[in-house]
Amino acid sequence: MSPQRQSPTVKIDIGDGAAIPSKKDRGLFTAWWVAFVGAIVILGSLCLSYPDPYWRILAFLPDGIVVTFQVTLLSILLSLALGLVTGLGRLSQNRVWNLLASTYVEVIRGVPLLVQLFYIYYALGRIEAFSNLPPLAAAVLAMGICYGAYMGEVFRAGIDSIDKGQAEAARSLGFNRRQTMALVILPQAWRTILPPVGNEFIALLKDSSLVSILAVSDLLRRGREFASESFLYFETYTVVALVYLLITLVLSKAVSHMESKLNYYDRS
Amino acid sequence: MTAVDPIIQIHNVFKYFGTLQALSNVCLDVHAGEKVVIIGPSGSGKSTLLRAINRLETIDSGRIIVDGKDVHSGEHDINRIRQELGMVFQNFNLFPHKTVLGNITMAPITLKKMPELEAKNLAMSLLEKVGIRDKADVYPAMLSGGQKQRVAIARALAMQPKIMLFDEPTSALDPEMIGEVLDVMTQLAREGMTMVVVTHEMGFAREVADRIVFMDQGQIMEIAPPNELFANPKHPRTQKFLSQIL
């Protein structure tokens, strides 16, 4: 093998969301199993030993889980689209696009998500066209716009991490800018982008609990509803927390699995 | 001889990197079928000049005309011009997410709308030519440096360019792999391809070049056929450079 190797994959460190266990990181790898098995054992034994109230609580939550996933999935799709446009804008030589994208990122990163949620929900509510916006749509809009800014930075870093020689090779074959981006840069950047996107997805899923404020019956809100009727606050939130933990752990595993699949062309 | 215009005409080209003069009043004509080898110390502007021919580098003044089209004027579609100019890089720049076959067929299929089967046949015949037919379905990461560079040459040839530009094609290779790449280039030269080659391989220059261009500090110091330039360099800087490397 020649000493000239493909440039090493750049890790984008966002430092947000759950840690994605990699087999090389023994500590985290084991911690994942401890947390996962622990959560299942605790939840299982609680439900078996005290079906009332634990099993009742657990049975009350699935509707909320569905909503949580709905919000998360729709928001992530919106944020991916916004992120791509923003990331490309941040790297664009088009001044207007670049400035718009950069300003968007600056503004969004400077306002807390909860404030954004309130703002979009209540401020949009005052505009005629949006006054009938269902809570779920408002939640998705707010979460998507917020995470789009972060996603934009992920896309920017991912695209930036691709060696300049790749673009030069494509351009000198006669590909225009767009073709170069679509056929050569993005397919490679995706591999660098996916782990942080997975991270953002998990972080978004957790942050989606904030939408319980907006009359969206997500997992947390279902828990609140149960607790306020039964006054079993400790028991309810124990189950809610364990369910969130299990979902997050499974997702982080899925992301790390997907990541290893994406490395197919590096295997020698 | 004929009244045919040179296929590459470089007129009074200047380029600055800040205050550094990268190219200074460079003039050079290359005729169809000609092989021109550019030599010179590092930082002499030879790669910059080569990259200016297909506008990977901009220039500050002067004109570069390729096949009758002004490359830097913006009047012509640069993507069209580049299809006529195959480029081979020092670091290969193969697309790592595509197989060898995918690397070669991507441009003809996308840009020339060549049917997939035809592109594949073309790619296989090019791989035959560069001697690595059996590697068609592997990813570049599994190739040696010499193999990568030969694939890169095949990829450039797949667009059936009129001119091939080589930017230090063997500089990143282990010594034992240089020969296999130079052999392919020599073969290409024999078939009559117009070639502009930046290289430190003096043996190749001597054997293949019609003319050798010696550059130093952004200027062309001397242009001469190889036997003349190697045996009897006129400019003192050429003499000094050759005495250092030969």
Side-chain angles (χ1 to χ4, degrees), chain B residues 35-40 169-170 178 182 185-186 189 195-214 224-230 241-242 245-246:
Chain B
K35 295 97 186 82
V36 172
V37 171
I38 306 174
I39 62 171
T170 58
I178 291 175
L182 292 181
M185 291 169 64
T186 308
M195 290 164 63
V196 183
V197 184
V198 171
T199 188
H200 296 290
E201 293 297 325
M202 295 304 146
F204 172 81
R206 198 192 294 267
E207 188 187 334
V208 171
D210 295 308
R211 285 185 298 157
I212 294 185
V213 174
F214 174 71
N227 47 14
E228 207 177 303
L229 188 114
F230 284 118
F241 178 72
L242 290 176
I245 59 155
L246 290 180

Side-chain angles (χ1 to χ4, degrees), chain A residues 42-63:
Chain A
I42 293 173
L43 195 58
S45 48
L46 284 176
C47 287
L48 288 174
S49 319
Y50 310 98
D52 191 18
Y54 287 106
W55 181 251
R56 269 176 53 218
I57 298 171
L58 195 61
F60 189 76
L61 295 178
D63 289 355

